């Protein structure tokens, strides 16, 4: 067996990665079997449940990756059609995939949060959203498999031993603070358990990507210095992401954050800088990474790409702006003819290119969209649905889009960011993608759903406009 399971290709950023605990569920539900694969040859079919692998109960993809890492594995399979349980031996050639897909990453139910974090965004959601959005996950397995940040406060001794013995590394850990009283105030009575577990993992040389949600007046100032110093003394912490407090209008605890105080945002940047410089001198890496919002809020240019150490916390909102700016420069330099052809085609159609964006990224996206080569514009959507200081594109809601766009879109080629939809094609406020597109097309718009990254956007535009020579 390999020392460490390899993270599967489905480990991507999505919110509906696992189901809640289901006492009646058995094993892993097979959702697809590739034709002529080892699983197909062994008689495995969609709808069956794999109960065991090599005699080990199948609880999650870690079990599967660990136990099914060799050329042969034996499965215990339940066929729900008749309730029969049979054994199946699978054999494969070197490098061959088993050809089987399962329902999600964990099969015995997602581990949920036992904390009472004062800054928990899930507790600030509007009422009457779909139920899955209120599930507060804190599952160490999804930390390894999908990069979710977890607090470790709900780990059993067996969980800790499994992480260490299976070398589940890196783990993504929500740290927030290191002083016991501050952690308890921020996270609740279980905070100490999370710190004890983290120390055990670090002692076992498990790599850690840590995170701090920085709350003004709580874990900033001297406490932030203590937390940064704690991480600096532990080389196993290979990245520490610092993100600002975000809050909605559906709570009463917070009324401001760094987005409302540019001076405080600048102060945080300056406070972290010495730790970054020391880490670069010692390791050749920045390690201490600030979320893009700090630079946007402070009115300071984001650091160059080499400061982001390969973007280990990209999906935590760290480095996205720099990545977008660099890709913009590359596309504008290398694809000017393609951009011009798209622009000319839109002009012949009498349509203006309009790309939707949240407030935070609007100016950055405009660097590409409103460039002379493309000649479009960005329509900035204010998040009235969540309110507070929520301004990222990924939390944009259909109701705000429909409310804030004009009724007449007959001369518009409209790009809706794909990041606002989940895997089922729904926005956070419950609109399906097809319904949103239908409503926008009823106003006369030509609509496309796309990533707004420059390379992706120009590819979408080339397909949508069918511009000659594309």
């Amino acid at each position: 067996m390999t020392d460490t399971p390899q993270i599967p290709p489905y480990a991507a950023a999505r919110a509906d990665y696992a189901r809640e605990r289901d006492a009646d569920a058995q094993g892993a539900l097979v959702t697809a079997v590739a034709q002529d694969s080892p699983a197909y040859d062994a008689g495995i079919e969609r709808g069956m449940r794999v109960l065991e692998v090599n005699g080990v109960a199948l609880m999650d993809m870690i079990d599967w990756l660990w136990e099914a890492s060799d050329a042969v594995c034996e499965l215990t399979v339940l066929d729900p059609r008749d309730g029969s349980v049979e054994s199946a031996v699978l054999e494969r050639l070197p490098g061959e995939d088993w050809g089987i897909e399962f329902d999600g990453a964990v099969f015995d139910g997602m581990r949920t949060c036992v904390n009472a974090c004062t800054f928990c965004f899930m507790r600030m959601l509007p009422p009457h959203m779909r139920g899955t959005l209120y599930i507060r996950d804190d599952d160490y397995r999804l930390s390894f498999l999908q990069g979710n940040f977890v607090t470790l406060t709900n780990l059993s001794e067996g969980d800790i031993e499994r992480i260490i013995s299976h070398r589940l590394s890196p783990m993504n850990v929500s740290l927030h603070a290191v002083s016991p009283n501050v952690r308890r105030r921020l996270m609740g009575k279980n905070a100490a358990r999370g710190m004890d577990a983290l120390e055990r993992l670090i002692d076992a040389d498990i790599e850690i990507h840590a995170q701090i949600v920085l709350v003004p007046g709580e874990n900033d100032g001297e406490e932030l210095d203590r937390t940064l110093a704690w991480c600096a003394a532990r080389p196993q912490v290979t990245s520490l992401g610092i993100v600002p407090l975000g809050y909605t209008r559906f709570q009463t605890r917070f009324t401001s954050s760094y987005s409302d105080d540019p001076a405080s945002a600048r102060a945080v940047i300056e406070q972290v800088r010495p730790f970054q410089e020391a880490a670069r001198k010692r390791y050749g890496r920045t390690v201490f990474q600030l979320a893009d919002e700090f630079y946007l809020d402070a009115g300071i240019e984001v650091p160059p790409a080499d400061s982001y150490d390969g973007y280990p916390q990209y999906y935590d909102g760290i480095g996205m702006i720099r990545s977008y700016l660099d890709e913009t420069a590359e596309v504008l330099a290398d694809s000017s003819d393609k951009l011009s052809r798209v622009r000319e085609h839109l002009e012949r159609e009498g349509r203006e290119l309009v790309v939707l964006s949240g407030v935070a990224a609007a100016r950055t996206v405009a660097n590409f969209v409103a460039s002379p080569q493309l000649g479009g514009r960005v329509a900035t959507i204010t998040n009235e649905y969540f309110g507070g200081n929520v301004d990222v594109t990924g939390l944009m809601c259909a109701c705000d889009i429909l409310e804030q766009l004009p009724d007449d879109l007959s001369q518009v080629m409209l790009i809706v960011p794909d990041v606002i939809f989940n895997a089922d094609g729904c926005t956070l406020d419950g609109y399906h993608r097809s319904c949103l597109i239908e409503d926008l097309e009823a106003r006369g718009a030509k609509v496309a759903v796309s990533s707004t990254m420059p390379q992706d956007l120009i590819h979408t535009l080339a397909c949508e406009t069918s511009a000659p020579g594309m």
Side-chain angles (χ1 to χ4, degrees):
M1 293 182 185
T2 58
D3 289 339
T4 303
Q6 297 301 303
I7 297 177
Y10 63 76
R14 53 176 291 185
D16 48 353
Y17 35 68
R19 62 176 181 264
E20 291 182 89
R21 187 173 298 276
D22 182 353
D24 296 325
Q26 293 180 279
L29 176 65
V30 177
T31 57
V33 178
Q35 191 168 356
D36 298 326
S37 66
Y40 179 89
D41 293 340
I44 307 299
E45 298 179 22
R46 183 176 183 274
M48 291 182 173
R49 288 186 175 274
V50 179
L51 306 181
E52 297 179 347
V53 185
N54 297 332
V56 175
L58 189 54
M59 299 184 299
D60 49 49
M61 281 299 299
I62 295 171
D63 285 331
W64 173 255
L65 294 168
W66 186 264
E67 296 296 333
S69 61
D70 294 328
V72 179
C73 67
E74 182 177 358
L75 309 185
T76 302
V77 182
L78 168 68
D79 188 340
R81 292 173 296 189
D82 58 11
S84 62
V85 177
E86 305 287 346
S87 294
V89 177
L90 279 62
E91 301 182 31
R92 64 178 176 181
L93 299 173
E96 186 179 14
D97 188 83
W98 291 118
I100 188 170
E101 295 182 17
F102 298 115
D103 179 24
V106 300
F107 315 130
D108 63 344
M110 181 170 54
R111 311 279 182 89
T112 53
C113 183
V114 298
N115 304 311
C117 295
T118 60
F119 51 83
C120 177
F121 195 82
M122 309 299 289
R123 299 171 70 183
M124 305 182 198
L125 294 178
H128 312 306
M129 300 176 75
R130 59 182 182 272
T132 54
L133 293 173
Y134 299 98
I135 300 172
R136 295 187 295 142
D137 67 278
D138 200 16
D139 196 317
Y140 77 91
R141 300 169 298 177
L142 295 176
S143 176
F144 172 70
L145 290 168
Q146 304 214 17
N148 294 16
F149 280 91
V150 295
T151 65
L152 307 179
T153 58
N154 60 1
L155 293 190
S156 67
E157 286 300 304
D159 294 332
I160 295 174
E161 292 170 4
R162 188 186 190 209
I163 293 171
I164 294 171
S165 65
H166 284 50
R167 305 306 301 170
L168 303 185
S169 182
M171 293 293 290
N172 298 274
V173 178
S174 292
L175 178 60
H176 305 314
V178 294
S179 298
N181 61 319
V182 178
R183 284 178 58 83
R184 184 180 177 91
R185 188 168 68 243
L186 283 171
M187 303 170 65
K189 64 181 181 180
N190 298 298
R193 174 56 175 170
M195 203 65 184
D196 291 343
L198 179 56
E199 292 275 20
R200 293 265 300 277
L201 299 185
I202 287 175
D203 288 344
D205 207 31
I206 298 295
E207 180 183 357
I208 302 296
H209 294 305
Q211 178 201 62
I212 295 172
V213 175
L214 200 62
V215 182
E218 293 290 342
N219 58 342
D220 56 353
E222 293 182 0
E223 180 60 24
L224 178 58
D225 277 336
R226 280 190 286 270
T227 305
L228 297 176
W230 187 92
C231 292
R234 291 160 175 79
Q236 294 85 355
V237 180
T238 58
S239 75
L240 172 66
I242 305 164
V243 302
L245 166 71
Y247 62 93
T248 77
R249 61 188 173 93
F250 296 94
Q251 51 81 48
T252 58
R253 185 184 297 270
F254 304 110
T255 57
S256 65
S257 185
Y258 298 94
S259 54
D260 311 294
D261 190 349
S264 292
R266 287 191 290 271
V268 171
I269 294 171
E270 290 304 314
Q271 184 176 358
V272 175
R273 192 186 308 278
F275 291 91
Q276 295 174 323
E277 293 172 350
R280 282 194 287 266
K281 184 176 180 179
R282 181 179 181 185
Y283 303 115
R285 294 179 285 107
T286 303
V287 179
F288 301 91
Q289 304 282 358
L290 286 159
D292 294 354
E293 290 98 323
F294 282 107
Y295 298 100
L296 295 173
D297 296 340
I300 295 175
E301 184 178 357
V302 296
D306 59 8
S307 298
Y308 287 100
D309 304 338
Y311 300 99
Q313 299 209 24
Y314 185 84
Y315 288 106
D316 204 21
I318 297 178
M320 288 185 173
I321 296 295
R322 171 47 59 195
S323 179
Y324 195 98
L325 291 173
D326 288 351
E327 190 170 314
T328 292
E330 179 182 341
V331 172
L332 291 180
D334 298 341
S335 304
S336 58
D337 290 344
K338 183 181 292 187
L339 295 169
S340 296
R341 286 194 293 270
V342 168
R343 178 175 180 173
E344 291 167 2
H345 188 87
L346 289 171
E347 288 174 348
R348 286 195 299 272
E349 283 193 341
R351 288 189 181 272
E352 176 189 24
L353 172 64
V354 176
V355 177
L356 300 182
S357 174
V359 173
R363 290 186 179 180
T364 303
V365 176
N367 279 280
F368 178 62
V369 174
S371 63
Q373 295 95 319
L374 197 52
R377 67 178 175 88
V378 172
T380 304
I381 303 298
T382 301
N383 200 315
E384 302 290 352
Y385 184 79
F386 285 107
N389 71 341
V390 176
D391 59 4
V392 297
T393 301
L395 297 180
M396 189 188 302
C397 294
C399 61
D400 288 329
I401 293 172
L402 294 171
E403 176 67 26
Q404 295 173 36
L405 288 180
D407 291 337
D408 184 4
L409 297 171
S410 58
Q411 295 181 314
V412 169
M413 171 73 216
L414 186 66
I415 302 296
V416 178
D418 59 1
V419 71
I420 74 171
F421 301 104
N422 72 355
D424 296 322
C426 290
T427 61
L428 286 166
D429 58 335
Y431 272 73
H432 193 271
R433 177 171 49 200
S434 59
C435 296
L436 178 59
I437 292 173
E438 182 179 346
D439 287 347
L440 294 170
E441 288 179 341
R443 300 184 187 186
K446 184 174 183 179
V447 182
V449 175
S450 173
S451 160
T452 57
M453 290 297 292
Q455 291 281 10
D456 297 330
L457 183 54
I458 192 60
H459 175 75
T460 297
L461 289 169
C463 294
E464 290 294 326
T465 61
S466 300
M470 303 296 284

